[in-house]
Amino acid sequence: GAVVSQHPSWVICKSGTSVKIECRSLDFQATTMFWYRQFPKQSLMLMATSNEGSKATYEQGVEKDKFLINHASLTLSTLTVTSAHPEDSSFYICSALHIEGARGYTFGSGTRLTVV
Amino acid sequence: DQQVKQNSPSLSVQEGRISILNCDYTNSMFDYFLWYKKYPAEGPTFLISISSIKDKNEDGRFTVFLNKSAKHLSLHIVPSQPGDSAVYFCAASVRELTGGGNKLTFGTGTQLKVEL
C-alpha cells in the first residue's frame, strides 16, 4: 500500500516551453504533497508544500510563477515548470503524506527534466 | 545553509561487515530524524527513524544512534549486503511527523558500496 506514482519519469523539452509533472497517490488520499528538486550529488531540496484545495507554500528562493503547483484533488498534485531554461534541468521528486508517524512520507520515483 | 550534513560522500564496505553512515545537524530544534535509501532514478524509501527522546532505535539489520549533545546521528547496517549499495540520506524534522505534514530537511547523502 501507499504508492505514489510520478509521471513522466523523464522528459526532454526545448527552452521556453512548459512541462507538467504529475504526482498521484494511488491507494490513499493525500491532503499534503511535497515537491523536491535534486541536483547531481546534492541533497533533496524542498521546493514547495502542496495542499489540496489551497495555494501551495513555496520555500524561500523558489519562484512560484515559474513552478506552478496545482493540488486539485486528494490524489493528484501537478508541478508545471513554465518557460523552462537549461538551468531548470534537474531531478524532481514528489512525496505524499498518508499516515501519521515515521513512515508517513511516500516518495514518487522522480522525473528527470532536461531542457535543451 | 546546510542544516543537515553528511560529510562522507561515499563509503565502501565488505560484505558481512558493518556499515556506519554518519550525519550531523546544526538546528537544535530538530527532534525527529529519519534515514532513507535511494537508488538512481528512483525516489527515496524509508528505512528507520528516531525521536529525540531516544538514543537508539533498532530494526533488523539497521540501527540508528542519536547523540543530541553532539548533534550527531549514525546509521549502522550489520551485516552489510551487496543489495544495500545505494545512496543513504538522513533527514530531520522539527517535530515528530504528524498529520500536519512537517517538512523534512535532507542531508547531501552518502553513497554506500558493499563489495563481495
Side-chain angles (χ1 to χ4, degrees):
Chain A
V3 176
V4 172
S5 175
Q6 184 173 344
H7 292 281
S9 56
W10 61 271
V11 59
I12 300 173
C13 71
K14 291 184 178 180
S15 289
T17 61
S18 296
V19 174
K20 180 185 285 188
I21 303 170
E22 292 189 348
C23 181
R24 294 181 184 271
S25 56
L26 296 186
D27 49 2
F28 66 98
Q29 293 182 332
T31 57
T32 304
M33 291 186 175
F34 302 87
W35 287 96
Y36 294 85
R37 181 175 181 176
Q38 185 188 22
F39 290 107
K41 298 185 179 181
Q42 294 190 23
S43 180
L44 282 77
M45 300 300 295
L46 180 64
M47 299 174 66
T49 302
S50 171
N51 301 297
E52 187 270 336
S54 64
K55 291 183 179 180
T57 304
Y58 290 82
E59 295 299 301
Q60 190 174 10
V62 178
E63 299 176 61
K64 62 180 181 180
D65 294 330
K66 180 168 187 60
F67 299 99
L68 300 179
I69 291 173
N70 185 285
H71 195 156
S73 78
L74 287 171
T75 59
L76 174 65
S77 175
T78 61
L79 168 68
T80 301
V81 183
T82 62
S83 187
H85 292 285
E87 57 264 32
D88 297 325
S89 298
S90 188
F91 192 60
Y92 293 87
I93 307 175
C94 69
S95 73
L97 183 67
H98 59 94
I99 56 173
E100 296 186 5
R103 297 178 184 269
Y105 288 101
T106 299
F107 286 82
S109 55
T111 298
R112 169 70 62 193
L113 170 63
T114 301
V115 185
V116 297
Chain B
D1 177 30
Q2 189 70 33
Q3 297 186 62
V4 179
K5 301 177 184 179
Q6 294 174 256
N7 292 319
S8 297
S10 64
L11 174 67
S12 185
V13 173
Q14 276 196 319
E15 182 181 14
R17 298 291 187 106
I18 184 171
S19 295
I20 300 176
L21 297 100
N22 294 303
C23 180
D24 297 290
Y25 62 97
T26 57
N27 188 343
S28 58
M29 297 298 290
F30 288 143
D31 59 4
Y32 201 73
F33 306 90
L34 308 91
W35 282 95
Y36 286 86
K37 177 179 180 180
K38 184 180 180 299
Y39 293 112
E42 293 185 12
T45 54
F46 172 81
L47 274 177
I48 192 169
S49 64
I50 188 167
S51 168
S52 60
I53 61 173
K54 296 183 177 181
D55 55 16
K56 176 182 176 181
N57 188 27
E58 189 172 353
D59 184 0
R61 296 187 297 115
F62 303 93
T63 303
V64 57
F65 295 90
L66 175 63
N67 183 333
K68 282 181 61 181
S69 61
K71 294 189 178 68
H72 176 83
L73 63 155
S74 61
L75 173 68
H76 293 209
I77 306 173
V78 56
S80 301
Q81 299 173 354
D84 296 329
S85 297
V87 177
Y88 289 78
F89 288 95
C90 68
S93 177
V94 172
R95 59 187 172 97
E96 185 159 348
L97 295 178
T98 67
N102 299 309
K103 299 187 297 186
L104 294 178
T105 300
F106 282 86
T108 49
T110 297
Q111 172 75 59
L112 173 65
K113 183 177 181 181
V114 180
E115 300 173 320
L116 297 172

